[in-house]
Amino acid sequence: LAPFDFRVDGVTSIAADTHKYGFAPKGSSVIMYKSKETHVKQFFVQPDWSGGIYASPTIAGSRAGAIIAACWATLMYIGEEGYVESTRKIVSTTRYISKELKKVEGIKVFGEPQVSVV
């Protein structure tokens, strides 16, 4: 696979919905930034909120702590090797589905699927 990370020119952030391929609870996700300069633009500040100054690293504000803890526990339990193996299976399955669909008359697969979308 071609690189699709911070090594690619122009990539400044990467988002991952950990509740999808990360196998974590629904409602969890992660965003990573290449630099602190980009990261600081993420913060939301509302100085005129009736309860005082409101600042958050997300627009949504607070998240349930249980979801964050369960996401972290899932990531640690599966580990890097587990995710690499899962990725291998996903890519292999994508290639198999694409190959088999091309054999079906009337179905056209556009392009060459690289990861998980056919």
Side-chain angles (χ1 to χ4, degrees):
L1 296 173
F4 56 99
D5 54 20
F6 292 127
R7 294 173 290 179
V8 177
D9 287 338
V11 173
T12 59
S13 63
I14 298 172
D17 291 330
T18 50
H19 65 273
K20 293 178 182 168
Y21 295 118
F23 313 117
K26 186 102 169 118
S28 62
S29 61
V30 175
I31 186 163
M32 300 167 282
Y33 295 98
K34 187 173 185 176
S35 69
K36 284 186 178 184
E37 292 77 27
T38 304
H39 179 245
V40 297
K41 295 176 184 176
Q42 170 74 38
F43 292 91
F44 172 81
V45 178
Q46 173 52 273
D48 299 324
W49 183 53
S50 61
I53 296 173
Y54 179 83
S56 174
T58 67
I59 292 175
S62 62
R63 294 276 181 198
I67 292 173
I68 296 168
C71 177
W72 177 257
T74 302
L75 294 171
M76 295 299 100
Y77 178 77
I78 293 173
E80 184 176 351
E81 287 182 29
Y83 287 114
V84 168
E85 180 58 27
S86 177
T87 301
R88 282 191 183 104
K89 289 177 181 177
I90 291 166
V91 171
S92 174
T93 301
T94 299
R95 290 177 180 166
Y96 173 78
I97 291 170
S98 178
K99 180 183 78 171
E100 295 300 311
L101 283 174
K102 289 176 182 179
K103 296 177 183 177
V104 178
E105 187 176 334
I107 292 182
K108 170 126 176 90
V109 176
F110 291 93
E112 291 297 324
Q114 296 296 304
V115 185
S116 64
V117 178
V118 178

